[in-house]
Amino acid sequence: MGTELPTERLQRRLCAEAEAESGSNDDGNSDAALSRWLPDAGAGAQPGWLAAARADPGRAGAIALGVVGVIAVLVTIFTLLRDNTPPVTSAKLPPVEMVSTAQPTPSTPAPEGPVVVSVVGLVHKPGLVTLSSGARIADALSAAGGALDGADLIGLNMARRLADGEQIIVGIAAPPGEPTTMGSSVATQPTGSASASGREQAASESAAGAPVDLNTATEEQLDALPGVGPVTAAAIIAWRDANGSFASVDQLADVDGIGPARLEKLRAQVHV
């Protein structure tokens, strides 16, 4: 005998009761009786809270959604403010050096070996001094014992590099407010055949006791003349460098330190 299902058992009982009450086999009444015992799935069913919230959130749901949105905005702003990403720094490149395309000016090499210059005028030891290569005017003055009081040092560039055969003339400083008449100067070594022949002529005249040419005589030759010292000889050379060649012996009167009496003594000893 097979196992009877609960539904079949219930239907059998209901059918038995229905037959006992009405004594008939009407199928419609048995279905009605069966429906009274079966639960009504649709009657009294209430929708869940989730379905109700989805259909109509209501005021509380709207407030909750608003709060969630505000919290999301605040979290986003806080995250952006806390973003402390370090800035990108440029690499430390070496400084740019300017490169000139111009051809560098070659420097003039200093002459090798010692140089010999003449220092005359207001110095303690006038004469020839021997200096090392690349010496300056300041070195020449120091080798000559230094300048005397009242010497014109403004007219000399102490940093000037000396060449062999030059002459440094230390003149007299002008009084305050007056122009310089016997200032200091530097006489370079003359070049050319005319200058060489003039020096040779002046040397031969000095050796023979003949009158000295004012335009070609050196400072040593003028210093050797009677009544002419180093200062006067330097003044004659300075006047010649500033004004050119002497046109006559009388122009010696324009040289500082030569008065009428000295001019008359020199007249027979010099010529132009």
Side-chain angles (χ1 to χ4, degrees):
M1 181 176 182
T3 303
E4 184 179 12
L5 297 177
T7 305
E8 295 176 353
R9 188 184 302 113
L10 178 59
Q11 186 175 5
R12 182 174 55 79
R13 290 180 180 179
L14 292 176
C15 289
E17 291 178 358
E19 290 177 357
E21 290 178 358
S22 58
S24 64
N25 293 328
D26 190 359
D27 294 337
N29 293 333
S30 61
D31 292 338
L34 181 61
S35 64
R36 288 189 294 113
W37 286 89
L38 294 177
D40 189 2
Q46 299 293 334
W49 66 270
L50 182 59
R54 290 180 178 177
D56 185 10
R59 182 176 181 182
I63 294 175
L65 292 177
V67 172
V68 172
V70 171
I71 293 175
V73 173
L74 293 177
V75 170
T76 304
I77 295 175
F78 181 75
T79 303
L80 294 177
L81 294 178
R82 289 294 301 273
D83 187 12
N84 295 326
T85 304
V88 179
T89 58
S90 60
K92 294 183 179 180
L93 300 177
V96 179
E97 297 181 359
M98 299 300 295
V99 179
S100 176
T101 57
Q103 185 71 18
T105 303
S107 58
T108 303
E112 298 181 357
V115 293
V116 180
V117 296
S118 173
V119 183
V120 296
L122 297 181
V123 291
H124 289 279
K125 298 177 181 180
L128 299 177
V129 294
T130 302
L131 304 171
S132 60
S133 176
R136 316 280 179 168
I137 289 182
D139 301 327
L141 293 183
S142 299
L148 298 174
D149 294 338
D152 176 28
L153 299 181
I154 299 179
L156 295 174
N157 180 10
M158 296 296 175
R160 181 181 182 273
R161 194 185 299 272
L162 293 171
D164 185 66
E166 289 186 322
Q167 186 177 57
I168 302 173
I169 304 170
V170 183
I172 303 174
E178 296 184 7
T180 302
T181 56
M182 294 182 60
S184 301
S185 61
V186 178
T188 59
Q189 183 179 7
T191 57
S193 58
S195 300
S197 61
R199 288 197 304 272
E200 293 175 358
Q201 180 181 358
S204 60
E205 290 175 352
S206 177
V212 176
D213 191 346
L214 291 176
N215 294 323
T216 58
T218 63
E219 188 171 351
E220 288 80 3
Q221 293 173 349
L222 295 174
D223 187 15
L225 296 175
V228 178
V231 176
T232 304
I236 294 174
I237 297 297
W239 189 97
R240 191 173 64 190
D241 293 339
N243 301 278
S245 301
F246 285 92
S248 64
V249 178
D250 294 335
Q251 287 183 324
L252 284 176
D254 299 335
V255 179
D256 292 336
I258 299 180
R262 182 172 294 185
L263 177 59
E264 292 301 325
K265 293 181 180 180
L266 293 175
R267 192 179 294 277
Q269 300 176 16
V270 296
H271 71 91
V272 294

